[in-house]
Amino acid sequence: MPNVKVANVSKFFGNIKALENINLEVDDGEYVVLLGPSGCGKTTLLKIIAGMWEPTAGKVYIDGSDVTDLPPEDRNIGFVFQNYALFPHLNVFDNTIYGPVVRGKDSEESRRNAREMLHLVRLAARHDAFPVELSGGMQQRLAVARALTTGSSLLFLDEPLSALDAKIGAELRSEMRKMIKDLKLTAIHVTHNQEEAMEVADKIVVMRRGRVEQVGSPEQIYRNPANLFVAHFLGDANFIEAAAVDHGTRCKLKMLNWEMDIPKVKPGAYVAVVRPEKVEVGDGGAEGVVKNFRFLGGVSYVEVGIRDESVISRFPSGREYELGERVRICFKPEDVKLFKYPDEGLKEALRVD
Ligand code: ATP
């Protein structure tokens, strides 16, 4: 199975820095998602690894070989695009074998290979159906089968679910991951959808403005975001302005209309990041007023206004809250991630663009 390494890759379009010194390793059989807001450079990075664009600087390695100067057709990569690019006038089998046919390789071997691929993606019985007769999930499996007739076990997926209805897309995510894992492929998948990334990835690469902000498993990134932007982009979070002041061998963290004893940090201005499921509505802590309450089935959330800030708590449904009700919220010191208050201001640090 293939592995991929990107070393010090930069890409400029005129004076636009699309990518700045990117380093990335994708292991054999790993499912990696490039995640970030629109324009952060995800597609550019994928196209450079695929050989469709040349990097301005840096190298790309596949299976340990330097492929930086190799054309795309010699890199042996299968592609699944947003709209799957299936040919409506070709049936399932002819769609699958399209690549070898246009390359003049319509041999018995490639036909056998195409049949095997259709078998692997559970479409053998539908080999003579046309794309319009297939469900969204079947079309997606067909796109994967076609991508694999290149003989590659390296698969690139560029926003493969974004053309689908949100509910269907969400249903297909786990099916797609399972298929890719069953086929033991190495996958690089581009998306701006954080839920999709969390659900399919072994490893997420969070990007912003042409740089990699953090690389890690979904859980590592959610629990231990490297900075404010990552905390904001992956999952919901409260960002609470706080001040740390010395208090003997410990510190006091003053925030909202409340203070909390924490281990020693450098005194100064901070942003306390707390996930909504870690905020309890109860007896102690900061006092505020319910500004919003929503019942969402198994979970509910309540937004509590405290001074000019808001704190959101998400909890298993049970208790309901009235607008205007006075409540107290609290959280534990171990559930707070502290970041130095950013020089550029909190709003700018969180900006998604
Ligand atoms: P999206 O999710 O919207 O597809 P992305 O993260 O994939 O975004 P890229 O398409 O990689 O982002 O673009 C990164 C930056 O490079 C953007 O500022 C974009 O405008 C610029 N860019 C991309 N392709 C070109 C091009 N062919 N010519 C000039 N600038 C480009």
Side-chain angles (χ1 to χ4, degrees):
M1 273 187 281
N3 58 53
V4 175
K5 185 172 163 194
V6 172
N8 306 311
V9 160
S10 294
K11 177 73 179 173
F12 301 145
F13 293 106
N15 55 13
I16 296 175
K17 279 187 199 164
L19 294 175
E20 230 183 313
N21 201 29
I22 303 285
N23 288 288
L24 176 66
E25 292 197 23
V26 179
D27 293 333
D28 279 354
E30 198 170 33
Y31 196 133
V32 171
V33 172
L34 307 181
L35 173 72
S38 183
C40 73
K42 310 177 291 289
T43 305
T44 304
L45 179 55
L46 196 73
K47 286 185 173 172
I48 286 176
I49 303 173
M52 295 173 193
W53 277 336
E54 267 179 49
T56 309
K59 299 271 184 207
V60 177
Y61 300 86
I62 296 179
D63 267 343
S65 306
D66 182 351
V67 297
T68 315
D69 298 322
L70 222 55
E73 57 275 20
D74 294 339
R75 296 191 188 194
N76 203 17
I77 295 167
F79 265 95
V80 176
F81 294 104
Q82 190 176 116
N83 52 11
Y84 309 147
L86 299 173
F87 297 109
H89 59 290
L90 297 181
N91 68 22
V92 164
F93 183 81
D94 291 339
N95 261 290
T96 309
I97 202 169
Y98 182 81
V101 169
V102 291
R103 286 196 301 274
K105 292 186 181 155
D106 185 7
S107 62
E108 190 40 49
E109 189 192 341
S110 46
R111 297 182 81 76
R112 199 170 48 241
N113 187 24
R115 277 195 292 274
E116 194 175 314
M117 286 306 155
L118 286 177
H119 186 71
L120 285 173
V121 300
R122 295 181 283 117
L123 279 176
R126 303 300 303 273
H127 63 96
D128 55 356
F130 286 91
V132 69
E133 299 171 292
L134 303 177
S135 71
M138 289 170 176
Q139 291 183 26
Q140 187 185 52
R141 298 208 299 268
L142 173 55
V144 172
R146 191 180 54 180
L148 299 181
T149 58
T150 53
S152 174
S153 46
L154 179 56
L155 188 65
F156 284 11
L157 305 109
D158 194 357
E159 299 274 5
L161 300 166
S162 63
L164 298 167
D165 170 76
K167 192 158 182 291
I168 295 176
E171 282 169 14
L172 288 183
R173 283 175 204 154
S174 54
E175 188 176 336
M176 187 176 69
R177 175 182 159 90
K178 184 174 180 310
M179 176 173 63
I180 286 170
K181 284 285 162 190
D182 286 350
L183 296 174
K184 298 190 165 49
L185 307 176
T186 303
I188 306 182
H189 172 145
V190 163
T191 185
H192 60 271
N193 181 327
Q194 51 106 357
E195 278 181 24
E196 183 176 315
M198 298 274 271
E199 191 161 336
V200 298
D202 296 320
K203 186 158 97 182
I204 297 180
V205 179
V206 185
M207 296 178 65
R208 185 194 200 196
R209 298 177 184 161
R211 290 166 173 269
V212 171
E213 297 281 325
Q214 191 171 6
V215 178
S217 71
E219 190 177 342
Q220 281 165 350
I221 294 183
Y222 185 81
R223 292 195 194 286
N224 266 314
N227 56 42
L228 290 165
F229 173 79
V230 174
H232 178 54
F233 201 71
L234 209 93
D236 294 332
N238 292 295
F239 296 90
I240 302 163
E241 298 192 12
V245 292
D246 271 336
H247 187 72
T249 57
R250 310 263 296 168
C251 268
K252 285 265 179 228
L253 191 66
K254 294 173 181 268
M255 66 205 138
L256 306 163
N257 50 24
W258 184 35
E259 61 180 39
M260 169 191 283
D261 193 44
I262 58 167
K264 205 150 192 77
V265 293
K266 195 162 174 247
Y270 286 86
V271 178
V273 176
V274 189
R275 298 292 185 189
E277 65 273 18
K278 300 294 185 189
V279 177
E280 277 182 42
V281 187
D283 299 329
E287 190 186 357
V289 171
V290 172
K291 283 170 66 181
N292 200 353
F293 170 75
R294 284 274 171 270
F295 169 78
L296 303 171
V299 293
S300 296
Y301 84 79
V302 61
E303 179 184 348
V304 178
I306 302 168
R307 295 186 179 153
D308 55 357
E309 291 188 85
S310 275
V311 176
I312 287 174
S313 165
R314 194 171 41 225
F315 54 93
S317 292
R319 168 85 154 89
E320 293 191 5
Y321 292 93
E322 302 286 337
L323 292 192
E325 193 177 333
R326 297 202 76 79
V327 291
R328 283 182 174 273
I329 57 109
C330 67
F331 35 82
K332 298 189 182 110
E334 60 267 32
D335 292 327
V336 176
K337 281 280 303 175
L338 274 189
F339 294 96
K340 287 288 293 174
Y341 194 89
D343 293 340
E344 69 273 31
L346 181 55
K347 210 168 153 198
E348 182 58 29
L350 300 182
R351 205 169 90 201
V352 170
D353 58 7

